[in-house]
């Protein structure tokens, strides 16, 4: 039997939506998978270690990182929320995570960033990873923060990170906007695999999307990863038949890439 | 039976080469198709309204637009011609068309622009939609004019247009140049469909070409349209076997993307 | 006594605002100055030829061009107006002018274009001459048309033109916006001199502005002209003292570079 | 006597190095100057209001903003420090500040950002404001955070900010690196004036430097501000005579724009 | 029987690794194939002419070119070597070749350039053909020289060249780096065909790679060639299973695109 | 008395046109100035060492470099010449020079490159240092070679070079073209000073021109050098009065930046 490439991968946010999806899918890559979340994660299965952990607890995070050789960081808050909560989970949490990873000599991380880091671009814009960020929410700002923290740890210490600006990773698109941002679970898994095993990634920002017909993002600066999506939102085209009911010209949920996220935030109710 | 998305699409230039091709192909999208041309269009078929109209007649165009909710503008002169004729058909015609569309609250147009808007680039150049235009003829200048008129109506009133810089939309390429510019009728139809039904297009310029091997144009700024050509000129490769009879180095019909159009104009005989 | 460089310069629009300013200033460059306008230009002075001419009259324009070796084209309509009037004066007029210039072997023109060719950019944008035009009016569209016509005559026949996108050439800025767009008469004259006498200009687009403090335009692609403005709007700074009365965030006359031009047009009353 | 443009400008960080410099210089612009700092600011002088305030205290900041019509934000930590401290002062502090400014209808802020937001670029690189940030410290990351927060408040609410990436604003350059980053107090003051009174600034990022000979930063995207530095570090050239004692090729304090800041951080001792 | 397009193609370097591969593959394109090398090439087969020739011998090269209508230049030294040897074979050799081709009226060449012309870019960089070269060896410098010589002959005389920056053209990738640079023999052959028969190529630089998953190079400026690779290194993925043995962060053979070439040169032993 | 910064600067090409100009001007920077040329340099003056040396002689160059801590490389052929001569002096010479400099631990070189490295750009083009080179002669190709050799020695060994693409450094412009390319002797000297004493230059390419009115080159990527020209060709404007004698449209000596150099080469007689 072949040894698995990693000794111990840490997956944070293991009780979250994508965390549950990934829990089994990443087992092939690591002898042990350490799962972490602030919430309950159920029973440990074979090859798993469960560590309940609040990422804003510096000491706990330092301990969490012991013996880890790669990190998939999906932890923290994944929707709009009051800034103080975002700050604890997504800002202090990420700072603790990187300091711990650095101290323990982790060589590579994958950071689950988000399209909401650039949600204030228009749906008629074409972006690449070098264009200025334009976050659409407190959540989006915290994702830019994470990208910058990882940039720093690479420039300062050579700690490599792939930041995936995840589009919409759900079983299927829930509206027409997600036809452009859809990322299938299989493609997400493949993108994680590429991010973990490419010989060198430095600090790479990649847009997490499947091979959709209508796209807003150009992954040219992540071409070294070798990511080739196999799925496309086109298989769900029948859910959104051609329609001439155009949105109003000032409807910001279709003007901007961030969609209705721009309106959902509790800060603005 | 499902209702069709549009109530009434107006197709101008219905008696022209592409107009005839499109006449039946667009029926699926609209309860009624209003066809217009300065020339005779034959008998009205089921679901059609025929309106003979000179686009340079402002009042007639205003009337033509009544009850229309989308426009496919293929009308006007489509070859090089004396400027006065071009001006009436393609300049005054387009101005009338946009003013009428605005007054009647039309939400979206597709404007049949042309590769001759950029025909003075070289056949070794790679263009995108943001590069300066370089028209190769009076006809090409009139197409740039139309692109600008539509740009204005979008910036000023939010009236959306997709400008398609059509390459060579014929049954098959007539010469080696058209191997690069070929646009099959099926791909043209699909591009029209994408242009009409994308949730938001703003003011988009797209190069109308099939998935040819040799290309000069990059559609990155129209990627939100979701257009994916299905055809390629490669199926006609046998018509133009490999040949070492290179054109002379000063043969402008192969130096420039506009091809022999640069020489054909009646203004320069 | 030294001979003057040109035999006969044609200045169109000689009865207009800038035409009157330039009438004496250009005499040093040409043995004879031919002045033309659709309106009355008064008495011919020494070294002048006066030719009243409607630029939309092709035959008259052809005759107007006889014996001319350079053209300063300031003719046509210089404010927003109904499209039909714009078309006659600024579109047909320019087409006639270029065809006549070509037929008579004129080697160089200066075309008075306008900042209204790009008036829909924001006052916080930085433009250069290669960025897409965004006209703010029928007038602005006609100026883009002129730029394209001159581009064509250069690509096709080698007829050189400098297009000057004139900002605000008045005795002094009339509002704060013009602090950015101000072009003094002396600087305009110097820019004309550079445009006429640079050894080679090809087809050059230059923004016509003085050395103002706040600017929106970068003349890097016209650096070969050697134009160095001597004046600055800063000498009028006292007319517009520092004020905290910021415009509303949706006030389009300060959002967009075109200023109140966007609202003035008779088409939209 | 002329009224001053603003009713009440808030200057945060008034007890800091630059705060003390600015305290008197900004009086001409505002009827009342409200000064704030976490440290003691001494006695209030004529036209001043002193409010000691911890920016991480949301309620206190909300109160601090009452009656304010513009903000110069120089508060927070201005050197490298442990992340937790940076987070309270520069991250939570900025979030509180923007939320308060928004709630009180403030129209414009100036945010004292820093060259340490881009300190990991090389001293042979030429930057503009659209290039990706590369922070060189926890402090630098917090400055990027502030730039993003202000970007969001502009995109979401139209609240305008000028972010000044201050170079080295001291009486004189302390080493050769500062010959490139020097910003005189007079030029800083003028840049603040431009930032406060430009008719429209949207969200502008400007590099804060004098007219130095050797520069790394191009302010083309802030040209609308009208900032023209009057000073230059060249007057201090005699302090750093020509020397052939080149730094070692791996000396990161001269390789990178951030200088010795990269080594000073307490986090890395 | 159909005539072949060329009368006589010259293949230099015919005894080298790729020369042997191409010897039979190019026969379809030319009545006669003239093969040349400094080393012995064995027996002439049908349709072949063998000419042993030292490319640094100007007179011999002039004679070699007699009757040739196209050249595939694969001759010279193809590994790192002392500069004097490189200079004779790859610098003087190329100068002789171009002068001879010009004198004999050859219309088109294909120059076997190399990825080592840009080997000092990082393996996380995305290049296009317009970016500055960064050679990684004396060999790489000689390839840049050849690209420049061909650029000159095109600008000066209209002699067309396609420069192929060949990645790794071997039966299969020998290491993980070559998964990105792999060019199958079939794809190389197809790229030669495109280069020889495209109607116009001017001076084109193209990266020679198959349709690999992980890539560093964007061939957008060579899209007019119509080259579409059929193979991919992905079929060899099993040879390099996913591994977490990341290279050290200062391991220049994985930092830079040139790979171990950077260390192999005899100049630096 | 203050010590001079360098112990021993080597100036090659000391008997050439610019060598003679610089001989005295560089004395302030170095205790000893070693002068070298293939031609006779007359008597050694105080502080000088004269070493007659053929740069194509590797051993001689190695010896020439002993004890040198900086190099100003003005040696070699400075006009168009047969390739074999260019190769010995400018290609082998430069290779020998860099290998010797590397072996002796020289830290910085200034390489006299030339505008002829980019002479095939048009006189209406605006260049920066990152655009592809387009040499106009064998001489120009050899200058690109030198730039590449120095690029390599920096990437490989950290040996710093400033490449100065010298325009026209003569007492005064000899024709109108030189009004754009003029570099006064004082400005050349200042540019050398900046190049030698900037704390870090890496591999910098700078266009050597004075502060002329009409320019084709943008030195933005060399702004770290701190070079500010004091002179301008405008003081010679009276030598070339305004003239309407435009060159023919196919006159390559005014179309291209390289000027009559394109025609002068002995290779093409």
């Amino acid at each position: 039997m072949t040894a698995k490439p990693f000794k111990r991968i840490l997956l944070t946010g293991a009780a979250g939506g994508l965390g549950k999806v990934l829990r089994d899918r990443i087992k092939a890559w690591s002898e042990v998978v350490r799962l972490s979340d602030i919430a309950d994660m159920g029973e440990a299965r074979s090859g798993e270690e469960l560590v309940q952990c609040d990422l804003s607890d510096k000491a706990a995070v330092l301990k969490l990182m012991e013996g880890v050789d790669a990190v998939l960081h999906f932890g923290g808050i994944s929707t709009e929320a009051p800034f103080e909560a975002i700050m604890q989970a997504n800002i202090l949490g990420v700072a603790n995570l990187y300091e711990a990873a650095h101290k323990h000599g982790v060589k590579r991380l994958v950071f689950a960033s988000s399209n909401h880091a650039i949600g204030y671009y228009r749906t008629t814009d074409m972006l690449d990873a070098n264009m200025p960020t334009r976050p659409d929410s407190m959540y989006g700002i915290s994702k830019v923060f994470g990208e910058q923290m990882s940039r720093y740890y690479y420039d300062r210490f050579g700690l490599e990170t792939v930041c995936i600006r995840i589009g919409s990773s759900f079983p299927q698109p829930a509206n027409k906007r997600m036809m452009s941002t859809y990322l299938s679970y299989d493609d997400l898994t493949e993108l994680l695999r590429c991010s973990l095993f490419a010989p060198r990634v430095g600090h790479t920002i990649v847009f997490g999307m499947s091979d959709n017909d209508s796209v807003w993002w150009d992954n040219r600066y992540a071409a070294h990863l070798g990511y080739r999506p196999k799925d496309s939102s086109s298989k769900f085209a029948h859910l959104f038949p051609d329609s001439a009911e155009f949105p109003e010209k000032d409807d910001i949920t279709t003007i901007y890439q961030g969609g209705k996220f721009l309106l959902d935030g509790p800060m603005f109710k």
Side-chain angles (χ1 to χ4, degrees), chain A:
Chain A
M1 182 191 145
T2 317
K4 294 174 178 174
F6 286 102
K7 291 271 182 299
R8 182 176 285 103
I9 287 181
L10 167 66
L11 172 69
T12 67
L18 292 180
K20 285 175 187 162
V21 169
L22 296 171
R23 188 164 171 172
D24 285 337
R25 291 165 173 260
I26 66 179
K27 285 195 168 172
W29 306 331
S30 188
E31 300 291 340
V32 176
V33 173
R34 182 172 291 170
L35 302 170
S36 168
D37 206 295
I38 197 170
D40 181 71
M41 295 166 283
E43 296 286 301
R45 304 169 201 164
S46 161
E48 290 183 350
E49 296 172 354
L50 305 192
V51 183
Q52 209 162 349
C53 176
D54 181 343
L55 295 174
S56 67
D57 179 341
K58 190 175 184 171
V61 173
L62 193 60
K63 192 160 182 310
L64 177 67
M65 203 64 72
E66 273 174 17
V68 167
D69 46 6
V71 180
L72 305 176
H73 180 50
F74 282 73
I77 295 176
S78 62
T79 55
E80 184 58 325
F83 182 73
E84 292 79 358
I86 295 271
M87 186 176 78
Q88 290 302 310
N90 292 14
I91 287 180
L92 184 53
V94 162
N96 287 339
L97 193 87
Y98 272 87
E99 188 61 9
H102 165 56
K103 284 193 172 149
H104 283 293
V106 170
K107 285 197 169 169
R108 187 169 297 182
L109 286 97
V110 179
F111 171 60
S113 184
S114 166
N115 72 84
H116 295 290
I118 44 84
Y120 255 115
Y121 279 97
R122 290 171 182 256
T123 53
T124 47
D125 287 338
M126 169 50 59
L127 308 195
D128 66 46
N130 281 349
M131 291 168 70
T133 44
R134 296 187 66 177
D136 61 18
S137 53
M138 294 298 112
Y139 169 69
I141 292 172
S142 78
K143 287 303 176 182
V144 176
F145 174 88
E147 293 185 359
Q148 293 291 307
M149 185 61 76
S150 58
R151 173 85 245 181
Y152 171 79
Y153 273 84
Y154 176 65
D155 280 341
R156 185 70 176 83
F157 302 110
L159 173 48
E160 293 191 314
T161 294
V162 175
C163 298
I164 304 179
R165 289 182 182 163
I166 296 173
S168 304
S169 200
F170 298 108
Q172 63 181 50
N175 53 45
K176 205 153 186 180
R177 169 182 171 273
M178 293 192 191
M179 292 297 285
S180 292
T181 59
Y182 176 70
L183 174 66
S184 76
Y185 293 150
D186 283 357
D187 282 340
L188 169 60
T189 308
E190 171 63 6
L191 181 46
L192 290 176
R193 194 191 63 79
C194 292
S195 300
L196 282 175
F197 297 111
R200 188 174 288 268
V201 299
H203 183 262
T204 296
I205 293 172
V206 63
F207 294 92
M209 58 179 163
S210 286
D211 182 27
N212 306 321
D213 287 348
S214 163
V215 292
W216 307 327
W217 309 321
D218 178 346
N219 267 330
R220 58 182 285 110
Y221 296 117
H224 53 276
L225 293 182
Y227 167 60
R228 289 208 164 164
K230 299 287 187 303
D231 294 317
S232 166
S233 65
S234 60
K235 69 181 156 192
F236 304 106
H238 61 283
L239 301 176
F240 311 99
D242 289 339
S243 158
E245 291 174 18
F246 300 122
E248 288 306 300
K249 69 183 175 187
D250 57 356
D251 168 14
I252 71 170
T253 69
T254 60
I255 289 177
Y256 298 114
Q257 296 190 2
K260 68 186 169 62
F261 219 89
L262 284 77
L263 297 175
D264 278 2
M267 291 196 73
F268 306 111
K269 276 174 187 165

